Amino acid sequence: MTDPSAASRPVQAVVLAGGQGSRLRPYTDDRPKPMVEIPGTGTPIIGHQLSWLAEEGVTDVVVSCGHLAEVLQTWLDTADLPVSVTTVVESEPLGRGGGLKYAADRLPHPDQPWYATNGDIWTRFSLRDMADFHAERDAIATLALARPRLPWGAVKTDGFGHITDFIEAPPSTFEINAGVYVFSPEFADLLPQRGDHERTTFPRLAREQRLAGFTIPQGSYWRAIDTAKDLTEAAKELATTGR
């Protein structure tokens, strides 16, 4: 039997891969951030992302390039990819919102919903479930929400100020924007030509109650690769979980 919800699930996506990754130097001295390899995998971050998107039913991806774009484009041209990939490069900086709009203009199905992801995210969870969540709430945009572990240990105290426990790297009490999105077709028209959509479009949609937040299920893997320590931790997690 055909799943009726499948019709509202995106088959296209944008990957934002233009960041300089200055906190990942020296790894990013000769390559853009999404081209940094997770130790032990032999595959750059964007390779893991494209495989994940393909597993979730995506067939077409637009990659927005920037810093050292030619390195990323060369890899995409020569790699055996599980999806059809188009690259775009901004002729001038457009900001996060403008860059997203510029990339969205190259999506093959402008009348259909789409995913987007930041190029430094390494994760595995059901995008199909997120798309269904988005459709059920009649949202224009849905953000994946993560509860990352704090980089410090935490201390528990009782009502009298006595320390009762130490917790190593506990999860944050707040959810954060996980850098993965589902967008309805009309979202692209709401993006600024230049500037930051997180300061304009997202607050507007939140006021209109058309912005939803999908909490990544507990136990699902999520990590933003921002620093050399993140690479080390990702490699350790890969070795223990095989994700």
Side-chain angles (χ1 to χ4, degrees), residues 101 138-143 186-193 196-212:
K101 185 181 187 73
D138 194 28
I140 291 179
T142 296
L143 286 62
E186 61 266 39
F187 179 76
D189 293 332
L190 303 177
L191 286 165
Q193 294 288 344
D196 188 350
H197 62 293
E198 295 194 10
R199 295 179 180 273
T200 55
T201 310
F202 280 175
R204 171 185 167 186
L205 291 176
R207 289 192 298 269
E208 297 172 356
Q209 294 191 324
R210 303 297 300 278
L211 184 68

PDB file of all heavy atoms in Angstrom, residues 101 138-143 186-193 196-212:
ATOM      1  N   LYS A 101      18.680  31.631  -0.764  1.00  0.00           N
ATOM      2  CA  LYS A 101      17.735  31.945  -1.847  1.00  0.00           C
ATOM      3  C   LYS A 101      18.386  31.698  -3.216  1.00  0.00           C
ATOM      4  O   LYS A 101      17.755  31.142  -4.131  1.00  0.00           O
ATOM      5  CB  LYS A 101      17.304  33.411  -1.733  1.00  0.00           C
ATOM      6  CG  LYS A 101      16.219  33.853  -2.718  1.00  0.00           C
ATOM      7  CD  LYS A 101      15.885  35.315  -2.523  1.00  0.00           C
ATOM      8  CE  LYS A 101      14.705  35.746  -3.368  1.00  0.00           C
ATOM      9  NZ  LYS A 101      13.430  35.199  -2.841  1.00  0.00           N
ATOM     10  N   ASP A 138       1.427  22.139   9.066  1.00  0.00           N
ATOM     11  CA  ASP A 138       1.195  23.153   8.045  1.00  0.00           C
ATOM     12  C   ASP A 138       2.209  24.293   8.164  1.00  0.00           C
ATOM     13  O   ASP A 138       1.884  25.471   8.034  1.00  0.00           O
ATOM     14  CB  ASP A 138      -0.234  23.703   8.146  1.00  0.00           C
ATOM     15  CG  ASP A 138      -0.642  24.511   6.914  1.00  0.00           C
ATOM     16  OD1 ASP A 138      -0.107  24.229   5.819  1.00  0.00           O
ATOM     17  OD2 ASP A 138      -1.477  25.437   7.055  1.00  0.00           O
ATOM     18  N   ALA A 139       3.457  23.911   8.451  1.00  0.00           N
ATOM     19  CA  ALA A 139       4.518  24.902   8.628  1.00  0.00           C
ATOM     20  C   ALA A 139       5.075  25.329   7.270  1.00  0.00           C
ATOM     21  O   ALA A 139       4.978  24.602   6.280  1.00  0.00           O
ATOM     22  CB  ALA A 139       5.636  24.335   9.491  1.00  0.00           C
ATOM     23  N   ILE A 140       5.659  26.506   7.233  1.00  0.00           N
ATOM     24  CA  ILE A 140       6.395  26.951   6.052  1.00  0.00           C
ATOM     25  C   ILE A 140       7.864  26.556   6.184  1.00  0.00           C
ATOM     26  O   ILE A 140       8.531  26.262   5.199  1.00  0.00           O
ATOM     27  CB  ILE A 140       6.236  28.470   5.846  1.00  0.00           C
ATOM     28  CG1 ILE A 140       4.787  28.774   5.449  1.00  0.00           C
ATOM     29  CG2 ILE A 140       7.202  28.995   4.784  1.00  0.00           C
ATOM     30  CD1 ILE A 140       4.505  30.249   5.239  1.00  0.00           C
ATOM     31  N   ALA A 141       8.352  26.520   7.420  1.00  0.00           N
ATOM     32  CA  ALA A 141       9.731  26.097   7.680  1.00  0.00           C
ATOM     33  C   ALA A 141       9.764  25.300   8.973  1.00  0.00           C
ATOM     34  O   ALA A 141       9.078  25.645   9.943  1.00  0.00           O
ATOM     35  CB  ALA A 141      10.659  27.302   7.786  1.00  0.00           C
ATOM     36  N   THR A 142      10.555  24.240   8.985  1.00  0.00           N
ATOM     37  CA  THR A 142      10.753  23.433  10.187  1.00  0.00           C
ATOM     38  C   THR A 142      12.241  23.268  10.429  1.00  0.00           C
ATOM     39  O   THR A 142      12.989  22.913   9.519  1.00  0.00           O
ATOM     40  CB  THR A 142      10.086  22.053  10.054  1.00  0.00           C
ATOM     41  OG1 THR A 142       8.675  22.227   9.949  1.00  0.00           O
ATOM     42  CG2 THR A 142      10.388  21.178  11.262  1.00  0.00           C
ATOM     43  N   LEU A 143      12.666  23.546  11.641  1.00  0.00           N
ATOM     44  CA  LEU A 143      14.058  23.415  12.041  1.00  0.00           C
ATOM     45  C   LEU A 143      14.235  22.130  12.842  1.00  0.00           C
ATOM     46  O   LEU A 143      13.418  21.821  13.709  1.00  0.00           O
ATOM     47  CB  LEU A 143      14.494  24.580  12.929  1.00  0.00           C
ATOM     48  CG  LEU A 143      14.736  25.954  12.337  1.00  0.00           C
ATOM     49  CD1 LEU A 143      13.474  26.542  11.701  1.00  0.00           C
ATOM     50  CD2 LEU A 143      15.250  26.903  13.431  1.00  0.00           C
ATOM     51  N   GLU A 186       6.919  27.854  -0.851  1.00  0.00           N
ATOM     52  CA  GLU A 186       6.819  29.316  -0.769  1.00  0.00           C
ATOM     53  C   GLU A 186       7.899  29.949   0.096  1.00  0.00           C
ATOM     54  O   GLU A 186       8.061  31.180   0.095  1.00  0.00           O
ATOM     55  CB  GLU A 186       5.440  29.734  -0.245  1.00  0.00           C
ATOM     56  CG  GLU A 186       5.098  29.224   1.146  1.00  0.00           C
ATOM     57  CD  GLU A 186       4.324  27.918   1.144  1.00  0.00           C
ATOM     58  OE1 GLU A 186       4.644  27.044   0.307  1.00  0.00           O
ATOM     59  OE2 GLU A 186       3.423  27.767   1.988  1.00  0.00           O
ATOM     60  N   PHE A 187       8.679  29.132   0.829  1.00  0.00           N
ATOM     61  CA  PHE A 187       9.699  29.686   1.704  1.00  0.00           C
ATOM     62  C   PHE A 187      10.737  30.481   0.924  1.00  0.00           C
ATOM     63  O   PHE A 187      11.207  31.526   1.387  1.00  0.00           O
ATOM     64  CB  PHE A 187      10.385  28.572   2.495  1.00  0.00           C
ATOM     65  CG  PHE A 187      11.480  29.064   3.411  1.00  0.00           C
ATOM     66  CD1 PHE A 187      11.170  29.701   4.598  1.00  0.00           C
ATOM     67  CD2 PHE A 187      12.816  28.898   3.081  1.00  0.00           C
ATOM     68  CE1 PHE A 187      12.177  30.160   5.451  1.00  0.00           C
ATOM     69  CE2 PHE A 187      13.823  29.356   3.915  1.00  0.00           C
ATOM     70  CZ  PHE A 187      13.500  29.991   5.104  1.00  0.00           C
ATOM     71  N   ALA A 188      11.111  30.009  -0.257  1.00  0.00           N
ATOM     72  CA  ALA A 188      12.160  30.688  -1.033  1.00  0.00           C
ATOM     73  C   ALA A 188      11.782  32.129  -1.336  1.00  0.00           C
ATOM     74  O   ALA A 188      12.638  33.023  -1.359  1.00  0.00           O
ATOM     75  CB  ALA A 188      12.432  29.919  -2.325  1.00  0.00           C
ATOM     76  N   ASP A 189      10.486  32.394  -1.564  1.00  0.00           N
ATOM     77  CA  ASP A 189      10.045  33.765  -1.869  1.00  0.00           C
ATOM     78  C   ASP A 189      10.129  34.680  -0.657  1.00  0.00           C
ATOM     79  O   ASP A 189      10.116  35.911  -0.802  1.00  0.00           O
ATOM     80  CB  ASP A 189       8.602  33.755  -2.391  1.00  0.00           C
ATOM     81  CG  ASP A 189       8.480  33.082  -3.756  1.00  0.00           C
ATOM     82  OD1 ASP A 189       9.466  33.110  -4.514  1.00  0.00           O
ATOM     83  OD2 ASP A 189       7.404  32.536  -4.044  1.00  0.00           O
ATOM     84  N   LEU A 190      10.185  34.108   0.545  1.00  0.00           N
ATOM     85  CA  LEU A 190      10.247  34.902   1.767  1.00  0.00           C
ATOM     86  C   LEU A 190      11.673  35.246   2.182  1.00  0.00           C
ATOM     87  O   LEU A 190      11.880  36.040   3.094  1.00  0.00           O
ATOM     88  CB  LEU A 190       9.563  34.146   2.915  1.00  0.00           C
ATOM     89  CG  LEU A 190       8.100  33.751   2.688  1.00  0.00           C
ATOM     90  CD1 LEU A 190       7.580  32.955   3.885  1.00  0.00           C
ATOM     91  CD2 LEU A 190       7.240  34.969   2.435  1.00  0.00           C
ATOM     92  N   LEU A 191      12.649  34.642   1.502  1.00  0.00           N
ATOM     93  CA  LEU A 191      14.047  34.884   1.840  1.00  0.00           C
ATOM     94  C   LEU A 191      14.508  36.239   1.311  1.00  0.00           C
ATOM     95  O   LEU A 191      14.058  36.679   0.243  1.00  0.00           O
ATOM     96  CB  LEU A 191      14.930  33.781   1.249  1.00  0.00           C
ATOM     97  CG  LEU A 191      14.860  32.432   1.943  1.00  0.00           C
ATOM     98  CD1 LEU A 191      15.484  31.348   1.063  1.00  0.00           C
ATOM     99  CD2 LEU A 191      15.563  32.479   3.299  1.00  0.00           C
ATOM    100  N   PRO A 192      15.415  36.913   2.018  1.00  0.00           N
ATOM    101  CA  PRO A 192      15.940  38.190   1.514  1.00  0.00           C
ATOM    102  C   PRO A 192      16.900  37.972   0.347  1.00  0.00           C
ATOM    103  O   PRO A 192      17.539  36.924   0.243  1.00  0.00           O
ATOM    104  CB  PRO A 192      16.693  38.746   2.732  1.00  0.00           C
ATOM    105  CG  PRO A 192      17.123  37.525   3.498  1.00  0.00           C
ATOM    106  CD  PRO A 192      16.002  36.529   3.323  1.00  0.00           C
ATOM    107  N   GLN A 193      16.975  38.938  -0.541  1.00  0.00           N
ATOM    108  CA  GLN A 193      17.948  38.870  -1.632  1.00  0.00           C
ATOM    109  C   GLN A 193      19.370  38.923  -1.087  1.00  0.00           C
ATOM    110  O   GLN A 193      20.293  38.353  -1.670  1.00  0.00           O
ATOM    111  CB  GLN A 193      17.731  40.043  -2.603  1.00  0.00           C
ATOM    112  CG  GLN A 193      16.417  40.008  -3.352  1.00  0.00           C
ATOM    113  CD  GLN A 193      16.369  38.929  -4.414  1.00  0.00           C
ATOM    114  OE1 GLN A 193      17.408  38.372  -4.816  1.00  0.00           O
ATOM    115  NE2 GLN A 193      15.180  38.608  -4.875  1.00  0.00           N
ATOM    116  N   ASP A 196      20.502  38.041   6.346  1.00  0.00           N
ATOM    117  CA  ASP A 196      20.396  36.862   7.195  1.00  0.00           C
ATOM    118  C   ASP A 196      18.933  36.526   7.459  1.00  0.00           C
ATOM    119  O   ASP A 196      18.222  37.271   8.131  1.00  0.00           O
ATOM    120  CB  ASP A 196      21.126  37.135   8.518  1.00  0.00           C
ATOM    121  CG  ASP A 196      21.235  35.903   9.396  1.00  0.00           C
ATOM    122  OD1 ASP A 196      20.588  34.890   9.081  1.00  0.00           O
ATOM    123  OD2 ASP A 196      21.957  35.958  10.414  1.00  0.00           O
ATOM    124  N   HIS A 197      18.479  35.390   6.954  1.00  0.00           N
ATOM    125  CA  HIS A 197      17.086  34.975   7.140  1.00  0.00           C
ATOM    126  C   HIS A 197      16.765  34.652   8.594  1.00  0.00           C
ATOM    127  O   HIS A 197      15.599  34.698   8.996  1.00  0.00           O
ATOM    128  CB  HIS A 197      16.787  33.746   6.273  1.00  0.00           C
ATOM    129  CG  HIS A 197      17.600  32.545   6.597  1.00  0.00           C
ATOM    130  ND1 HIS A 197      18.965  32.478   6.381  1.00  0.00           N
ATOM    131  CD2 HIS A 197      17.257  31.349   7.142  1.00  0.00           C
ATOM    132  CE1 HIS A 197      19.415  31.309   6.758  1.00  0.00           C
ATOM    133  NE2 HIS A 197      18.412  30.602   7.220  1.00  0.00           N
ATOM    134  N   GLU A 198      17.795  34.341   9.394  1.00  0.00           N
ATOM    135  CA  GLU A 198      17.528  34.014  10.789  1.00  0.00           C
ATOM    136  C   GLU A 198      17.198  35.263  11.603  1.00  0.00           C
ATOM    137  O   GLU A 198      16.699  35.164  12.729  1.00  0.00           O
ATOM    138  CB  GLU A 198      18.711  33.263  11.399  1.00  0.00           C
ATOM    139  CG  GLU A 198      18.925  31.901  10.742  1.00  0.00           C
ATOM    140  CD  GLU A 198      19.861  30.994  11.521  1.00  0.00           C
ATOM    141  OE1 GLU A 198      20.199  31.344  12.667  1.00  0.00           O
ATOM    142  OE2 GLU A 198      20.252  29.952  10.980  1.00  0.00           O
ATOM    143  N   ARG A 199      17.449  36.434  11.027  1.00  0.00           N
ATOM    144  CA  ARG A 199      17.094  37.685  11.692  1.00  0.00           C
ATOM    145  C   ARG A 199      15.843  38.312  11.083  1.00  0.00           C
ATOM    146  O   ARG A 199      15.315  39.289  11.632  1.00  0.00           O
ATOM    147  CB  ARG A 199      18.255  38.679  11.605  1.00  0.00           C
ATOM    148  CG  ARG A 199      19.502  38.236  12.350  1.00  0.00           C
ATOM    149  CD  ARG A 199      20.619  39.253  12.211  1.00  0.00           C
ATOM    150  NE  ARG A 199      21.817  38.851  12.925  1.00  0.00           N
ATOM    151  CZ  ARG A 199      22.054  39.100  14.205  1.00  0.00           C
ATOM    152  NH1 ARG A 199      21.165  39.759  14.915  1.00  0.00           N
ATOM    153  NH2 ARG A 199      23.172  38.695  14.774  1.00  0.00           N
ATOM    154  N   THR A 200      15.391  37.801   9.956  1.00  0.00           N
ATOM    155  CA  THR A 200      14.242  38.388   9.266  1.00  0.00           C
ATOM    156  C   THR A 200      13.134  37.366   9.041  1.00  0.00           C
ATOM    157  O   THR A 200      12.076  37.435   9.661  1.00  0.00           O
ATOM    158  CB  THR A 200      14.687  38.979   7.910  1.00  0.00           C
ATOM    159  OG1 THR A 200      15.356  37.948   7.143  1.00  0.00           O
ATOM    160  CG2 THR A 200      15.642  40.143   8.101  1.00  0.00           C
ATOM    161  N   THR A 201      13.390  36.390   8.177  1.00  0.00           N
ATOM    162  CA  THR A 201      12.349  35.440   7.782  1.00  0.00           C
ATOM    163  C   THR A 201      11.907  34.555   8.935  1.00  0.00           C
ATOM    164  O   THR A 201      10.702  34.361   9.153  1.00  0.00           O
ATOM    165  CB  THR A 201      12.845  34.566   6.617  1.00  0.00           C
ATOM    166  OG1 THR A 201      13.378  35.409   5.588  1.00  0.00           O
ATOM    167  CG2 THR A 201      11.703  33.752   6.043  1.00  0.00           C
ATOM    168  N   PHE A 202      12.842  33.973   9.665  1.00  0.00           N
ATOM    169  CA  PHE A 202      12.471  33.074  10.761  1.00  0.00           C
ATOM    170  C   PHE A 202      11.643  33.779  11.842  1.00  0.00           C
ATOM    171  O   PHE A 202      10.602  33.254  12.267  1.00  0.00           O
ATOM    172  CB  PHE A 202      13.712  32.423  11.369  1.00  0.00           C
ATOM    173  CG  PHE A 202      14.246  31.246  10.582  1.00  0.00           C
ATOM    174  CD1 PHE A 202      15.438  30.623  10.954  1.00  0.00           C
ATOM    175  CD2 PHE A 202      13.568  30.733   9.473  1.00  0.00           C
ATOM    176  CE1 PHE A 202      15.927  29.532  10.245  1.00  0.00           C
ATOM    177  CE2 PHE A 202      14.051  29.647   8.760  1.00  0.00           C
ATOM    178  CZ  PHE A 202      15.239  29.040   9.147  1.00  0.00           C
ATOM    179  N   PRO A 203      12.066  34.974  12.338  1.00  0.00           N
ATOM    180  CA  PRO A 203      11.233  35.645  13.346  1.00  0.00           C
ATOM    181  C   PRO A 203       9.828  35.967  12.830  1.00  0.00           C
ATOM    182  O   PRO A 203       8.852  35.855  13.587  1.00  0.00           O
ATOM    183  CB  PRO A 203      12.024  36.922  13.654  1.00  0.00           C
ATOM    184  CG  PRO A 203      13.442  36.563  13.348  1.00  0.00           C
ATOM    185  CD  PRO A 203      13.358  35.658  12.158  1.00  0.00           C
ATOM    186  N   ARG A 204       9.721  36.348  11.566  1.00  0.00           N
ATOM    187  CA  ARG A 204       8.402  36.642  10.989  1.00  0.00           C
ATOM    188  C   ARG A 204       7.521  35.400  11.006  1.00  0.00           C
ATOM    189  O   ARG A 204       6.355  35.456  11.413  1.00  0.00           O
ATOM    190  CB  ARG A 204       8.570  37.158   9.559  1.00  0.00           C
ATOM    191  CG  ARG A 204       7.272  37.289   8.776  1.00  0.00           C
ATOM    192  CD  ARG A 204       7.547  37.689   7.346  1.00  0.00           C
ATOM    193  NE  ARG A 204       6.372  37.515   6.513  1.00  0.00           N
ATOM    194  CZ  ARG A 204       6.366  37.689   5.190  1.00  0.00           C
ATOM    195  NH1 ARG A 204       7.472  38.060   4.566  1.00  0.00           N
ATOM    196  NH2 ARG A 204       5.257  37.514   4.494  1.00  0.00           N
ATOM    197  N   LEU A 205       8.063  34.258  10.583  1.00  0.00           N
ATOM    198  CA  LEU A 205       7.295  33.021  10.563  1.00  0.00           C
ATOM    199  C   LEU A 205       6.940  32.569  11.981  1.00  0.00           C
ATOM    200  O   LEU A 205       5.861  32.007  12.201  1.00  0.00           O
ATOM    201  CB  LEU A 205       8.079  31.922   9.838  1.00  0.00           C
ATOM    202  CG  LEU A 205       8.263  32.116   8.329  1.00  0.00           C
ATOM    203  CD1 LEU A 205       9.134  31.009   7.753  1.00  0.00           C
ATOM    204  CD2 LEU A 205       6.911  32.145   7.619  1.00  0.00           C
ATOM    205  N   ALA A 206       7.842  32.802  12.924  1.00  0.00           N
ATOM    206  CA  ALA A 206       7.558  32.438  14.315  1.00  0.00           C
ATOM    207  C   ALA A 206       6.360  33.239  14.830  1.00  0.00           C
ATOM    208  O   ALA A 206       5.484  32.686  15.516  1.00  0.00           O
ATOM    209  CB  ALA A 206       8.791  32.679  15.185  1.00  0.00           C
ATOM    210  N   ARG A 207       6.307  34.537  14.516  1.00  0.00           N
ATOM    211  CA  ARG A 207       5.175  35.372  14.950  1.00  0.00           C
ATOM    212  C   ARG A 207       3.867  34.872  14.340  1.00  0.00           C
ATOM    213  O   ARG A 207       2.801  34.964  14.963  1.00  0.00           O
ATOM    214  CB  ARG A 207       5.425  36.831  14.563  1.00  0.00           C
ATOM    215  CG  ARG A 207       6.510  37.526  15.372  1.00  0.00           C
ATOM    216  CD  ARG A 207       6.504  39.028  15.146  1.00  0.00           C
ATOM    217  NE  ARG A 207       6.777  39.390  13.759  1.00  0.00           N
ATOM    218  CZ  ARG A 207       7.991  39.631  13.282  1.00  0.00           C
ATOM    219  NH1 ARG A 207       9.057  39.515  14.082  1.00  0.00           N
ATOM    220  NH2 ARG A 207       8.167  39.981  12.022  1.00  0.00           N
ATOM    221  N   GLU A 208       3.956  34.345  13.119  1.00  0.00           N
ATOM    222  CA  GLU A 208       2.769  33.852  12.423  1.00  0.00           C
ATOM    223  C   GLU A 208       2.448  32.397  12.766  1.00  0.00           C
ATOM    224  O   GLU A 208       1.490  31.831  12.244  1.00  0.00           O
ATOM    225  CB  GLU A 208       2.971  33.979  10.909  1.00  0.00           C
ATOM    226  CG  GLU A 208       3.129  35.410  10.431  1.00  0.00           C
ATOM    227  CD  GLU A 208       3.522  35.491   8.957  1.00  0.00           C
ATOM    228  OE1 GLU A 208       3.745  34.429   8.335  1.00  0.00           O
ATOM    229  OE2 GLU A 208       3.613  36.630   8.446  1.00  0.00           O
ATOM    230  N   GLN A 209       3.262  31.791  13.647  1.00  0.00           N
ATOM    231  CA  GLN A 209       3.123  30.386  14.041  1.00  0.00           C
ATOM    232  C   GLN A 209       3.177  29.458  12.827  1.00  0.00           C
ATOM    233  O   GLN A 209       2.444  28.477  12.736  1.00  0.00           O
ATOM    234  CB  GLN A 209       1.827  30.172  14.836  1.00  0.00           C
ATOM    235  CG  GLN A 209       1.833  30.894  16.176  1.00  0.00           C
ATOM    236  CD  GLN A 209       0.683  30.492  17.073  1.00  0.00           C
ATOM    237  OE1 GLN A 209      -0.427  30.242  16.601  1.00  0.00           O
ATOM    238  NE2 GLN A 209       0.946  30.422  18.367  1.00  0.00           N
ATOM    239  N   ARG A 210       4.076  29.791  11.910  1.00  0.00           N
ATOM    240  CA  ARG A 210       4.311  28.939  10.730  1.00  0.00           C
ATOM    241  C   ARG A 210       5.728  28.377  10.731  1.00  0.00           C
ATOM    242  O   ARG A 210       6.195  27.856   9.732  1.00  0.00           O
ATOM    243  CB  ARG A 210       4.073  29.748   9.431  1.00  0.00           C
ATOM    244  CG  ARG A 210       2.709  30.368   9.286  1.00  0.00           C
ATOM    245  CD  ARG A 210       1.591  29.343   9.233  1.00  0.00           C
ATOM    246  NE  ARG A 210       1.707  28.419   8.117  1.00  0.00           N
ATOM    247  CZ  ARG A 210       1.297  28.705   6.866  1.00  0.00           C
ATOM    248  NH1 ARG A 210       0.775  29.888   6.583  1.00  0.00           N
ATOM    249  NH2 ARG A 210       1.405  27.797   5.905  1.00  0.00           N
ATOM    250  N   LEU A 211       6.412  28.497  11.882  1.00  0.00           N
ATOM    251  CA  LEU A 211       7.768  27.971  12.046  1.00  0.00           C
ATOM    252  C   LEU A 211       7.705  26.857  13.084  1.00  0.00           C
ATOM    253  O   LEU A 211       7.242  27.069  14.205  1.00  0.00           O
ATOM    254  CB  LEU A 211       8.710  29.085  12.515  1.00  0.00           C
ATOM    255  CG  LEU A 211      10.199  28.737  12.655  1.00  0.00           C
ATOM    256  CD1 LEU A 211      10.826  28.466  11.297  1.00  0.00           C
ATOM    257  CD2 LEU A 211      10.947  29.872  13.358  1.00  0.00           C
ATOM    258  N   ALA A 212       8.149  25.657  12.706  1.00  0.00           N
ATOM    259  CA  ALA A 212       8.051  24.500  13.603  1.00  0.00           C
ATOM    260  C   ALA A 212       9.440  24.021  14.001  1.00  0.00           C
ATOM    261  O   ALA A 212      10.431  24.291  13.319  1.00  0.00           O
ATOM    262  CB  ALA A 212       7.273  23.366  12.930  1.00  0.00           C
TER     263      ALA A 212
END
